[in-house]
Amino acid sequence: GGAGVLRVQVPGAAESTGPAVGLDAVPAIADAATVTLAGTAPANARVVLERTSDGDRTEVVADATGAFSAEVALGEGLNRFRVLAGDDGAEVRSWVGTSIELERRGDRTLPVGALVDVAWVP
């Protein structure tokens, strides 16, 4: 990543295989009820930005170069978004974000993907 940016990637996976939000343009604290999340994904892929608190999903299609941009609604306080790309139920999680989502599997806790965090303080 860079200053203040967490970047996680599965060992051996090319960056171009999954979606990634450009974190440089994501505010840590927003002063509006919406924010634009933009980044890259496989060319022409369906990109899903899913708010973890309520499952609200914003979907867009990446262009032929893989670029995507979507305005997402924010709730008051911390908003966490999963970023996924793919079609026909074969969604790939982003490993680029501001925090990591962990899942308990048996007696182990494993990372399952990155989250993009934005706080809205009205």
Side-chain angles (χ1 to χ4, degrees):
V5 176
L6 173 67
R7 186 177 195 93
V8 178
Q9 184 167 342
V10 176
E15 283 191 11
S16 62
T17 61
V21 169
L23 298 177
D24 293 342
V26 178
I29 300 174
D31 60 359
T34 62
V35 68
T36 299
L37 299 179
T40 58
N44 305 309
R46 180 179 54 85
V47 178
V48 177
L49 304 159
E50 179 183 63
R51 193 171 49 234
T52 63
S53 63
D54 61 6
D56 183 59
R57 292 166 68 101
T58 300
E59 296 187 20
V60 296
V61 175
D63 67 17
T65 69
F68 71 86
S69 177
E71 185 174 58
V72 295
L74 301 175
E76 207 172 301
L78 180 64
N79 294 262
R80 292 196 142 152
F81 292 92
R82 290 182 187 104
V83 182
L84 309 105
D87 288 308
D88 300 325
E91 295 176 330
V92 175
R93 281 284 301 269
S94 175
W95 284 95
V96 177
T98 55
S99 64
I100 298 297
E101 184 171 18
L102 301 173
E103 185 176 286
R104 187 108 178 127
R105 294 185 185 169
D107 62 346
R108 299 178 69 190
T109 301
L110 302 171
V112 292
L115 298 165
V116 177
D117 297 334
V118 180
W120 177 38
V121 182

